[in-house]
Amino acid sequence: MDVVDKSALNVDLKTVQDAEKRIRPYVRKTPVMQIDLPGGEPVILKLENLQNTNAFKIRGASNFLLQMTDEQKKNGVTTGSSGNHAQGVALAAKLLEIKCIVCMPEIAPKAKVEATRAHGAEVELIPGLYTQACDTAHRHEREEGMIYVPAFDDEKIIAGQGTIALEILDQVPECGRIITAIGGGGMISGIAAAARGLRPDIQIIGVEAENAACMYASWKAKKLVAIDPKASVADGTVSDIVSPRTLEYCEAYVDEIVTVNEEEVKKAVLYNLEHGRIVAEGAGSLPLAALLAGKVPASVKGDTVCVVSGGNIDSKLLAQIIEELR
């Protein structure tokens, strides 16, 4: 799909390479490992569940905060998040000694709420969904002069997330395809822009949960489409709309977007655990879910890399999945 003028997109390979140099002291170069699909086809997992805060979000958050002015840092930062972005911002703020208020939906997993507090942020639980949490954070921005840290709709965030692609192509030189989850679209935008800058022929595939497939709907329609999302095991990707910016990156660089149902996500969570001894949350299991469900071909020229974007799954939910599927 190539309907967008790439020259109008500000995040490119150079932007991501600059972000990588900036954030390197604050993030881990996460490992990769190979597991086999049921038919014997190998797939390589990029283990961002082993990143600081157990999710990729620290990459974008640290790239954003590191570019703030001293005056902005004095006023502190705020954000709205259902979990992983909250932790990424909280930890980056702690490392840089910046005040941080995080607004989270009341339905956010308890483990993610507690982890965000543990990283030093002040947490406010807000009735409603992600949108309502963001609205409250924007109030702090207006009334207190705090800097709002977007979860995905910002080029500094996108560039930070794109550093994942630089590591993948260094660790897996024969990579022919990268499959990654989509929530708001920041991670896939950065990965796609960076990967295509290094390897124009690489295939980029995004995966969403059927219950919250806002990018899928917008990408198909070639315009922003708001949806009414339902709860999902892939809670980290639940959003009612993406942004014009991330939609443009997906239109320019992403080859395909597919969706998976809740049962397929649960099976991938269990498969990660049983076949790789990997604790992956629902969002982090979306790429593998697409392969296991046959939503994308198992074989491709070159290696397939699935980004395991996070491992912050509630222990009770994980136990329920194991009990249900075994």
Side-chain angles (χ1 to χ4, degrees):
M1 196 168 187
D2 191 6
V3 298
V4 174
D5 178 8
K6 294 186 180 70
S7 66
L9 301 177
N10 292 326
V11 177
D12 57 14
L13 176 59
K14 175 65 165 55
T15 314
V16 176
Q17 289 172 330
D18 289 344
E20 200 281 334
K21 295 174 185 176
R22 187 178 297 116
I23 70 175
R24 181 48 49 198
Y26 303 93
V27 303
R28 296 172 181 164
K29 183 174 182 178
T30 54
V32 296
M33 67 171 288
Q34 178 180 310
I35 64 171
D36 293 332
L37 299 176
E41 301 90 348
V43 60
I44 296 172
L45 306 180
K46 174 61 171 170
L47 300 178
E48 283 295 289
N49 60 311
L50 301 181
Q51 184 55 262
N52 295 331
T53 75
N54 305 116
F56 73 99
K57 289 287 192 175
I58 183 67
R59 295 176 182 268
S62 57
N63 192 47
F64 185 100
L65 269 62
L66 284 163
Q67 295 181 74
M68 290 169 56
T69 66
D70 290 341
E71 188 62 31
Q72 289 173 327
K73 291 175 183 177
K74 289 178 183 178
N75 291 333
V77 295
T78 185
T79 195
S81 172
S82 59
N84 285 337
H85 177 63
Q87 293 177 63
V89 173
L91 180 57
K94 180 180 180 180
L95 293 173
L96 296 173
E97 299 182 341
I98 300 171
K99 177 185 177 181
C100 179
I101 298 177
V102 176
C103 302
M104 303 180 72
E106 285 183 336
I107 61 171
K110 183 179 179 181
K112 293 184 179 182
V113 173
E114 292 177 347
T116 303
R117 287 196 175 111
H119 290 309
E122 178 184 338
V123 175
E124 296 181 4
L125 295 179
I126 309 301
L129 298 173
Y130 169 74
T131 301
Q132 287 69 45
C134 291
D135 289 343
T136 304
H138 280 301
R139 192 185 72 231
H140 288 297
E141 179 186 28
R142 292 190 305 271
E143 297 177 358
E144 302 166 42
M146 303 185 83
I147 300 301
Y148 182 84
V149 186
F152 56 86
D153 188 21
D154 180 90
E155 287 163 351
K156 299 182 184 73
I157 297 292
I158 290 171
Q161 319 303 29
T163 59
I164 297 170
L166 302 183
E167 293 181 14
I168 288 173
L169 295 182
D170 177 61
Q171 295 165 312
V172 189
E174 300 303 316
C175 178
R177 176 172 63 181
I178 298 175
I179 309 177
T180 186
I182 303 178
M187 177 172 62
I188 195 170
S189 294
I191 286 176
R196 284 287 172 81
L198 285 169
R199 293 272 304 280
D201 60 334
I202 199 167
Q203 187 179 39
I204 307 294
I205 295 178
V207 189
E208 286 187 298
E210 286 181 4
N211 282 4
C214 51
M215 181 64 83
Y216 176 82
S218 298
W219 190 76
K220 288 291 186 182
K222 299 183 181 179
K223 64 179 182 180
L224 285 181
V225 176
I227 65 167
D228 183 16
K230 301 176 183 177
S232 174
V233 176
D235 59 270
T237 61
V238 174
S239 180
D240 57 356
I241 195 167
V242 293
S243 73
R245 180 181 284 112
T246 55
L247 177 58
E248 285 185 341
Y249 279 95
C250 285
E251 287 179 331
Y253 294 119
V254 174
D255 295 286
E256 185 64 69
I257 297 175
V258 300
T259 65
V260 290
N261 63 38
E262 293 301 291
E263 184 74 7
E264 290 163 345
V265 179
K266 292 176 184 177
K267 288 180 179 178
V269 170
L270 186 59
Y271 199 92
N272 271 319
L273 185 63
E274 291 187 332
H275 294 266
R277 296 298 182 262
I278 297 164
V279 176
E281 62 190 88
S285 299
L286 287 173
L288 184 60
L291 285 170
L292 293 174
K295 302 296 177 70
V296 294
S299 298
V300 69
K301 184 178 179 181
D303 295 317
T304 291
V305 176
C306 289
V307 179
V308 182
S309 55
N312 292 311
I313 187 169
D314 184 85
S315 57
K316 290 183 179 179
L317 175 58
L318 182 57
Q320 289 171 5
I321 291 172
I322 294 171
E323 180 68 21
E324 178 183 336
L325 297 183
R326 276 185 174 172

